[in-house]
Amino acid sequence: MQILRKLVFLLFPVFVIAACAKPAPPFEIKEANRSMIFGHVTAPEKVTEVELREYGKFYISPFIKPPRVLIYNNGHFMAENLKPGKYIISAFNTKKSEFVLVNSRRTAYQEIIHVEPGEAKFIGSYRITDIKRGLLDKGEFDVRHTRKPSERRVLKDLFHITRGTAWQAMLEHRLQELRQ
């Protein structure tokens, strides 16, 4: 029993520090033509993963991995170091549910996001609503584009997260474009 108390006493500060830790910063820019996609998503449950895929490319884990998408507690997400090209958001995931947005090649084609070299691209704010869970299937849901938070609000938050990286200059440039 004393060992258990000592273990709890030693591990408690670790959990407190982990809970207060800042979100993971993005990796540094690998090449000058690399880009970033960012946005916001909310759902009744906390969204834990945003699945971003390069259009027409198949991923076989662990050999070929999809682009890394960082998602933060406030619902903001960003994918950094993207090669210029075409991308799609294929799903939003929570611990309990998977909200698949792209079921076929046709729906994938309708949701293509074009990314230019050196671009910071806002793909919008999403809200997952009207969730009806099925017994044997995944059920139904609705994904709506929302006006808030705006691109400016998401940019300001990500600007602080990217402090100390070259991404911060790219986001600052985008903020200045929005001011004009």
Side-chain angles (χ1 to χ4, degrees), residues 29-43:
I29 294 177
K30 291 181 180 177
E31 298 172 17
N33 71 339
R34 294 298 174 113
S35 301
M36 139 189 318
I37 290 175
F38 63 98
H40 179 87
V41 62
T42 56

Side-chain angles (χ1 to χ4, degrees), residues 54-152:
E54 196 169 348
Y55 180 73
K57 189 171 183 178
F58 294 98
Y59 298 96
I60 303 167
S61 204
F63 306 110
I64 303 172
K65 294 183 180 182
R68 180 176 91 135
V69 180
L70 300 169
I71 186 157
Y72 299 99
N73 289 335
N74 59 3
H76 298 338
F77 62 87
M78 67 182 288
E80 88 281 24
N81 279 313
L82 300 175
K83 297 178 202 170
K86 300 174 187 175
Y87 293 86
I88 57 169
I89 298 285
S90 61
F92 295 119
N93 298 325
T94 66
K95 287 185 178 181
K96 296 180 183 177
S97 304
E98 180 178 23
F99 302 103
V100 178
L101 306 176
V102 176
N103 295 347
S104 68
R105 191 170 185 84
R106 182 178 187 183
T107 58
Y109 184 76
Q110 294 171 348
E111 300 296 326
I112 289 178
I113 303 161
H114 296 275
V115 178
E116 301 296 325
E119 178 183 29
K121 184 161 191 145
F122 181 63
I123 59 170
S125 293
Y126 302 90
R127 181 180 312 269
I128 300 171
T129 60
D130 302 328
I131 300 170
K132 296 175 186 86
R133 302 200 192 292
L135 293 175
L136 300 175
D137 62 355
K138 294 187 179 185
E140 296 179 15
F141 61 93
D142 189 24
V143 177
R144 300 174 188 217
H145 284 274
T146 61
R147 297 172 87 182
K148 291 187 178 183
S150 65
E151 178 178 6
R152 180 185 265 303

